Amino acid sequence: MALQPTLRPFILGNPAAPHTLDIFLDYVCPFSRKMSNNLNLTVKPLIERGGKYDGKVKAIIRQQVQPWHSSSTLVHEIALAVARVSPEKFWEFHLALMNGQEDFYDIPSSNRTPTLTRAKLIELALPIVGEDKREALAELISHKSTPNGGTAVTDELKYTIKFSRQNSIHVSPTVLWDGLVASEISSSWGEKEWTTFLESKVLV
């Protein structure tokens, strides 16, 4: 599947690998958190350097913004900002954001303005990307000078949303194998299920 070049940090494994897992996740979805942690333990070691499927399978993390959660746009913005300023730290931050998602659920977020939520997200990122990235992160997720111009990562956010819409992705998590929905894949899959799936799909 295609991917805008600025989103390359969202790729796990060799970008040139012929097989692709497109994994649509939302940062305030508990099932996306479960899938992310299982991917980290099972799939990531298999497809990265030295793994059994190194050079054969890549995974692309696709952002699936769920607008019925008020903070969903904001948490996806910070992921894009981290990918921009510290691409090598993206996956570490991805896991931290997933595992800290309860702070950004509907009720906790209801008592904060978007500006305060963005500030809280920057604080979540700084232990991973470094204090020296504070200003760069803040600049990327701050509103532009025009009243309705979005932020510096809005264009990338639009890309991810348009990609989901044109591929009729509705729920998170959703996984595609080589461009087709693999409905059998579950967020609860562990080593046994992922191993069996990959062995059946990667034949050479």
Side-chain angles (χ1 to χ4, degrees):
M1 299 290 279
L3 185 70
Q4 184 171 304
T6 58
L7 299 179
R8 284 177 69 97
F10 287 73
I11 300 174
L12 300 177
N14 187 334
H19 292 295
T20 304
L21 282 163
D22 286 286
I23 305 168
F24 292 79
L25 303 170
D26 178 36
Y27 285 111
V28 286
C29 167
F31 298 103
S32 292
R33 174 179 61 194
K34 188 174 183 179
M35 176 162 279
S36 291
N37 287 325
N38 282 332
L39 288 171
N40 190 54
L41 292 173
T42 59
V43 177
K44 188 171 180 282
L46 290 173
I47 66 176
E48 294 205 320
R49 189 179 298 253
K52 181 177 181 179
Y53 299 106
D54 176 16
K56 297 180 179 180
V57 178
K58 63 181 175 293
I60 302 176
I61 303 303
R62 301 283 188 178
Q63 292 176 289
Q64 181 69 5
V65 180
Q66 305 285 30
W68 47 85
H69 297 305
S70 61
S71 67
S72 186
T73 294
L74 305 180
V75 294
H76 284 279
E77 282 182 342
I78 193 66
L80 290 166
V82 167
R84 184 91 67 88
V85 303
S86 294
E88 74 286 356
K89 297 287 188 178
F90 168 74
W91 182 250
E92 183 180 353
F93 178 68
H94 169 90
L95 293 175
L97 186 54
M98 281 293 185
N99 289 309
Q101 65 180 215
E102 292 184 12
D103 281 343
F104 305 99
Y105 282 176
D106 295 344
I107 291 177
S109 295
S110 69
N111 295 315
R112 293 192 297 262
T113 66
T115 299
L116 289 175
T117 296
R118 287 185 169 107
K120 191 173 181 68
L121 287 164
I122 290 173
E123 294 302 324
L124 180 65
L126 290 179
I128 295 170
V129 304
E131 178 66 32
D132 61 313
K133 298 295 194 303
R134 179 187 292 273
E135 185 175 344
L137 287 175
E139 183 174 344
L140 286 171
I141 63 173
S142 295
H143 289 292
K144 296 177 180 178
S145 57
T146 56
N148 204 29
T151 71
V153 296
T154 295
D155 285 344
E156 290 170 332
L157 192 67
K158 287 180 179 179
Y159 170 86
T160 66
I161 293 170
K162 289 175 181 178
F163 187 88
S164 293
R165 287 176 177 174
Q166 77 169 15
N167 288 288
S168 300
I169 306 300
H170 300 291
V171 299
S172 60
T174 296
V175 181
L176 278 57
W177 173 260
D178 288 345
L180 298 179
V181 173
S183 57
E184 69 270 31
I185 295 177
S186 165
S187 60
S188 63
W189 273 21
E191 182 178 3
K192 178 182 177 181
E193 292 84 1
W194 275 114
T195 298
T196 300
F197 177 83
L198 291 171
E199 284 177 350
S200 70
K201 296 293 186 181
V202 184
L203 303 178
V204 294

